[in-house]
Amino acid sequence: MTNVTVVGSQWGDEGKGKIVDWLSERAEIVVRFQGGHNAGHTLVIDGVTYKLSLLPSSVVRKGKIGVVGNGVVVDPWHLLKEIAAIREKGVDVGPHNLRVAENAALILPLHGEIDRLREEARGSAKIGTTGRGIGPAYEDKVARRAIRLCDLFDGPTLDAKLEELCRHHDALRKGMGFEKVDRVTLRKQLQELAPQLAPYADSVWPFLGDSSKAGKRILFEGAQGALLDVDHGTYPFVTSSNTVAAQAATGSGMGPHEVGYVLGITKAYTTRVGSGPFPTELTDSIGRHLGERGHEFGTVTGRARRCGWFDAVLVRQTVRTGGIRGIALTKLDVLDGLDEIKVCVAYDIGGKRYDRLPAAQHLQAQAAPIYETLPGWKESTQGARSWAELPAAAVKYIVRIEELIGARVALLSTSPERNDTILVEDPFAD
């Protein structure tokens, strides 16, 4: 058996929550390895809906251990709030089934403040950040001035690091006409948090290494999507971390060989939240139809998602940069009832055909989709649990997508319900 890494192959919101939950029944440990509480996963289990943004999806299942890896930036207030909310729904969450990397960098109130100030200052050039401080927290981590979880448990270390951090942020805030950081209040807040967080703090890399040696199945749970990767995404309209599967190793403290089978969650059409290029975006009645049928609103932000046809060029690109072996195709039922369905197979940029999306921002903005048109289907695919239950045109659509992106469909999701899933290739049975 192998470990499995789940990543988004588009701009996020592909339906990772359901797939991770479906796979977590067979995994013993689920690891978050990047991002922060800007990513939302919705799980529906026995009629109960759970909305998670920082906790690993395994927390709602008995006997599973969730790990928040060192690659995640952690808002400690949000972490405790999310734990409390899950407990209110009858879920047992504690140090016995949740571990947080002691070397994870923290998101503080000053990070959210500077994040929102910057986004407001950008005006029409907004990146589309959630304003939750993820980007500034990663900046401080890379600049070696971050407060890490382990720092909360040593007063002198915390005081010295807070002074350096606040000195930097004071200069930024002054330039934007904002008051200095209230050091006394922030120090008191962190002091109050320390005993609440201490039971969860752990050196997770040896725990994961020992678990893997013992034959435990580990599921690495990614946030956002590969097109939001800070290196391989549509820069600068990206998140502040690496979202591709390679980060599963770095963000958890395990070796690259432990990443295992890489499963790319892929929506049967394309959506995006916030600003940035979107070659196949539809602003007509079909785009509205996709948004309404797919309930395309952000779990965290509540913002309506932009919708468009499936972009095979971009998914083919993320299959290669992300090391994706198989995809889990979601929301096929949203396409039910359409007379025809289009798939982007290339771009026209200034009269030249491109089979990839160039890195240059001005070229990305000019990319016009070149479409291939496939017949739609009138029958319903919702709830199908075998290939035999799918319309012939739907099967043809799936096969064509496989050909265009260079990866096979390992799983097919036909509704938000976890059991409405067709298994083609078992990621854990490598």
Side-chain angles (χ1 to χ4, degrees):
M1 309 299 286
T2 183
N3 296 332
V4 175
T5 299
V6 173
V7 294
S9 69
Q10 294 156 308
W11 278 295
D13 308 310
E14 301 97 346
K16 291 185 289 297
K18 170 193 166 175
I19 302 300
V20 168
D21 175 59
W22 191 87
L23 290 168
S24 69
E25 269 200 332
R26 306 191 59 203
E28 287 132 304
I29 301 168
V30 179
V31 184
R32 276 286 312 276
F33 58 84
Q34 51 77 218
H37 63 304
N38 55 341
H41 291 174
T42 301
L43 310 178
V44 181
I45 302 172
D46 298 328
V48 180
T49 299
Y50 303 92
K51 292 183 182 290
L52 306 176
S53 56
L54 186 58
L55 294 176
S57 297
S58 60
V59 296
V60 299
R61 299 213 160 273
K62 291 181 180 180
K64 312 294 182 181
I65 296 176
V67 173
V68 178
N70 58 274
V72 178
V73 283
V74 177
D75 181 322
W77 292 274
H78 183 90
L79 175 64
L80 294 173
K81 181 180 178 181
E82 197 169 323
I83 289 173
I86 291 296
R87 282 177 175 163
E88 286 180 5
K89 293 198 173 189
V91 177
D92 180 26
V93 181
H96 63 287
N97 63 355
L98 176 64
R99 304 182 183 211
V100 183
E102 61 182 2
N103 55 335
L106 300 182
I107 301 174
L108 306 180
L110 54 83
H111 292 125
E113 289 167 355
I114 197 69
D115 198 1
R116 292 185 290 273
L117 284 170
R118 285 173 174 173
E119 190 74 342
E120 184 178 342
R122 290 187 182 104
S124 60
K126 284 181 172 63
I127 290 176
T129 171
T130 59
R132 297 194 168 203
I134 280 81
Y138 272 117
E139 289 178 37
D140 285 335
K141 176 181 177 178
V142 173
R144 302 180 295 278
R145 56 175 171 260
I147 305 297
R148 301 190 299 173
L149 181 57
C150 56
D151 298 329
L152 299 185
F153 315 125
D154 181 72
T157 299
L158 180 59
D159 289 336
K161 288 195 168 187
L162 267 180
E163 181 55 37
E164 181 184 0
L165 179 66
C166 290
R167 188 165 56 246
H168 171 77
H169 278 265
D170 282 345
L172 293 177
R173 293 158 76 97
K174 181 179 180 180
M176 303 186 80
F178 212 59
E179 68 274 9
K180 289 184 177 181
V181 177
D182 184 345
R183 289 160 170 74
V184 175
T185 299
L186 180 57
R187 177 67 173 82
K188 182 180 178 181
Q189 290 174 328
L190 293 176
Q191 190 174 17
E192 292 172 351
L193 281 175
Q196 301 177 66
L197 295 168
Y200 298 100
D202 191 17
S203 182
V204 302
W205 64 267
F207 164 71
L208 291 173
D210 292 343
S211 298
S212 183
K213 281 186 177 180
K216 303 285 187 182
R217 297 192 195 106
I218 301 174
L219 180 64
F220 297 96
E221 176 183 9
Q224 292 98 25
L227 295 173
L228 293 176
D229 185 278
V230 70
D231 286 300
H232 301 290
T234 49
Y235 191 91
F237 304 99
V238 294
T239 194
S240 299
S241 62
N242 288 110
T243 60
V244 294
Q247 179 63 19
T250 306
S252 65
M254 301 192 77
H257 62 287
E258 299 285 5
V259 168
Y261 186 109
V262 180
L263 181 69
I265 315 302
T266 308
K267 198 176 287 186
Y269 49 101
T270 310
T271 62
R272 176 166 201 168
V273 171
S275 307
F278 187 169
T280 66
E281 182 175 12
L282 299 170
T283 57
D284 56 10
S285 59
I286 295 178
R288 291 191 294 274
H289 168 83
L290 295 176
E292 290 167 5
R293 285 212 53 180
H295 306 290
E296 297 296 350
F297 297 92
T299 301
V300 170
T301 64
R303 291 180 291 182
R305 297 174 185 139
R306 301 154 65 189
C307 299
W309 295 120
F310 186 84
D311 193 328
V313 181
L314 287 179
V315 177
R316 181 170 64 242
Q317 202 159 312
T318 60
V319 164
R320 297 187 67 176
T321 59
I324 293 171
R325 176 167 161 182
I327 68 168
L329 192 66
T330 66
K331 291 199 170 185
L332 181 68
D333 57 295
V334 175
L335 301 178
D336 292 352
L338 295 175
D339 293 325
E340 61 179 30
I341 301 171
K342 294 183 179 180
V343 178
C344 177
V345 296
Y347 303 126
D348 182 316
I349 302 177
K352 181 180 177 181
R353 182 185 174 104
Y354 280 76
D355 294 320
R356 59 180 175 81
L357 187 66
Q361 189 175 345
H362 72 285
L363 294 178
Q364 291 182 356
Q366 298 174 45
I370 298 174
Y371 286 121
E372 181 177 301
T373 302
L374 298 171
W377 54 89
K378 297 300 182 182
E379 306 94 323
S380 174
T381 62
Q382 187 169 15
R385 297 185 182 181
S386 71
W387 288 105
E389 297 177 48
L390 296 174
V395 174
K396 181 179 179 181
Y397 179 71
I398 294 167
V399 171
R400 185 58 181 143
I401 283 177
E402 290 179 320
E403 294 170 347
L404 290 168
I405 67 173
R408 68 175 303 180
V409 172
L411 288 156
L412 179 65
S413 171
T414 57
S415 92
E417 291 297 325
R418 67 188 312 277
N419 291 326
D420 291 340
T421 304
I422 301 172
L423 177 64
V424 182
E425 181 176 274
D426 186 353
F428 275 116
D430 187 25

